[in-house]
Every structure is written in C-alpha cells, then in structure tokens.
Amino acid sequence: VSHHFRDGFIANNDKDAYGRLQIVGPSGPFTFRFTNMTFVGGPVGEAALCAGQHCGRGGAGGPCNVQYLLEDVDWTRLMPWQKRIKFGAHAMSFGFVQPIFLATDNVSLGG
C-alpha cells in the first residue's frame, strides 16, 4: 500500500510572522494517504490540510473526487482555534463531485 505522507511532522514556528502551516493537496480520481503524521504549530493558512487545490479550474487535472485517507493523524499540537481540514483550496464550485476525508481510526477526524 502506498503512502504519500508517512511517519512525519508538518510544522511551522508559531513566532514566524510570514510562514503558514498548510498542505494544499491535489484533486483527481485517486486516494491520497496520510499515516502516522503530526501537525505542529501554526498559524495555518486556509486550514492545515486543504483538499482539491485548483479543483474545477481549466487545466487543473481531472475531476474533484480525490479521497484523503487519514490514519493516526495527530492535530493536538496545532493552535486550538486552527482549522484542521478544508474542502477546495483556490477551487471553483465542485458541482456534483467533491473531495472526501476518511479515517481508519477514531482520532484522525476527531470522531
């Protein structure tokens, strides 16, 4: 099984006035997998993990039906008020198909 991000940290120094903690992920007909990842610091941009960058824009590459599969993702080290996930970073209207976030555990999406 392929992992896109595995066993790592995504971090930003909260004292950095310029930087933003943000992964702007792709869209398309595939699964994008995060396993054993920790998000640390902030501030975030639109959210720490944004699905479907440029979705629906000409030349952006395919439909907006990407799946983000999360397993053992730790958000607890973000600033408490920060958004964790967001649909459509710099995207057009999704129409009938949109990205989806899935979790194989009870912690990655807070449920």
Side-chain angles (χ1 to χ4, degrees):
V1 173
S2 176
H3 297 265
H4 295 88
F5 284 86
R6 185 175 188 170
D7 301 330
F9 288 85
I10 307 295
N12 188 64
N13 183 343
D14 61 0
K15 307 283 189 267
D16 181 356
Y18 179 74
R20 295 290 179 260
L21 186 152
Q22 176 173 279
I23 293 177
V24 183
S27 60
F30 60 89
T31 300
F32 196 72
R33 191 168 183 180
F34 286 79
T35 304
N36 193 31
M37 295 298 301
T38 301
F39 287 79
V40 179
V44 303
E46 294 184 42
L49 177 57
C50 302
Q53 179 183 24
H54 297 152
C55 183
R57 296 191 179 271
C64 305
N65 60 339
V66 66
Q67 300 173 55
Y68 285 76
L69 179 59
L70 310 178
E71 182 177 1
D72 296 324
V73 175
D74 181 1
W75 308 96
T76 62
R77 295 173 63 186
L78 287 176
M79 295 173 175
W81 60 89
Q82 303 289 282
K83 269 188 165 179
R84 295 175 181 180
I85 62 172
K86 180 181 187 293
F87 296 100
H90 315 113
M92 302 297 285
S93 172
F94 291 117
F96 296 106
V97 180
Q98 62 185 4
I100 185 170
F101 290 95
L102 305 165
T104 61
D105 56 32
N106 288 326
V107 296
S108 295
L109 290 175

